[in-house]
Amino acid sequence: MHRAMMVVSAAAMAVVMGAGSGSGVEAPGADAGEGFGAGFGGGFGGGVGQEAGHGPERAPAEADVAHHGHVSLWSGRLAVRLSTGNHGPSDLTGATARLSFSEPLAVGQKLPAGCLWGGDQVVYCQAKALRADGRDSEFLLDLRTVGNPAEVSVDIATVWNGGAQDLNPDNDKHHVLVPATGDLYIY
């Protein structure tokens, strides 16, 4: 059992060890071209690990991902503003947020560029490259729920941060209760 834990720990370290341009953090699948889908599928570790015997080992880059914005619900319509930022100290590529809704969303809705469906209650949005303490990446989602609920809960969390170490993960996890009042509920 102890040996198995050592193997798993070594594999996890290989995934988070930075190797690449400048910051040590690269988007999964960065060589496959730009675009949202490059990092999804089987490639979460691609472009981040360092092969054995190729230079000194380094600690993972540090980047503080943070999400903020607001959510509003009225007459079955759900408006979400998601801003993803990076408080540094390293630049970051490929930060991905998951938005989970307590109510199912109507099928056939168009999402903004950089976002994709993860089911009828989940949306993933991948930020553009984020410079340390630079401009946030922003998404505006105009969604409709199935039916006309009296309230919706939204959970926002980082599911991928480019392989960086985040010493302040509390500012990238939010739970927002949104009554159907049309008011903005800020997170």
Side-chain angles (χ1 to χ4, degrees), residues 39-63:
F40 284 93
F44 265 55
V48 179
Q50 182 173 357
E51 295 180 27
H54 294 316
E57 291 187 22
R58 333 179 253 201
E62 182 184 333

Side-chain angles (χ1 to χ4, degrees), residues 62-125:
E62 182 184 333
D64 181 14
V65 175
H67 304 295
H68 59 277
H70 57 76
V71 184
S72 183
L73 174 67
W74 70 99
S75 302
R77 187 168 173 188
L78 190 62
V80 181
R81 176 180 173 208
L82 169 67
S83 293
T84 299
N86 173 15
H87 298 294
S90 299
D91 293 345
L92 182 64
T93 304
T96 305
R98 178 182 54 231
L99 293 85
S100 300
F101 302 90
S102 63
E103 295 289 329
L105 302 170
V107 295
Q109 299 182 77
K110 185 174 181 176
L111 295 174
C115 296
L116 62 79
W117 291 101
D120 67 346
Q121 293 178 257
V122 176
V123 174
Y124 294 97
C125 294

Side-chain angles (χ1 to χ4, degrees), residues 131-150:
R131 295 179 57 95
D133 290 322
R135 183 179 173 138
D136 289 0
S137 187
E138 185 172 281
F139 299 95
L140 301 173
L141 293 90
D142 184 13
L143 303 169
R144 296 202 62 81
T145 60
V146 173
N148 190 11

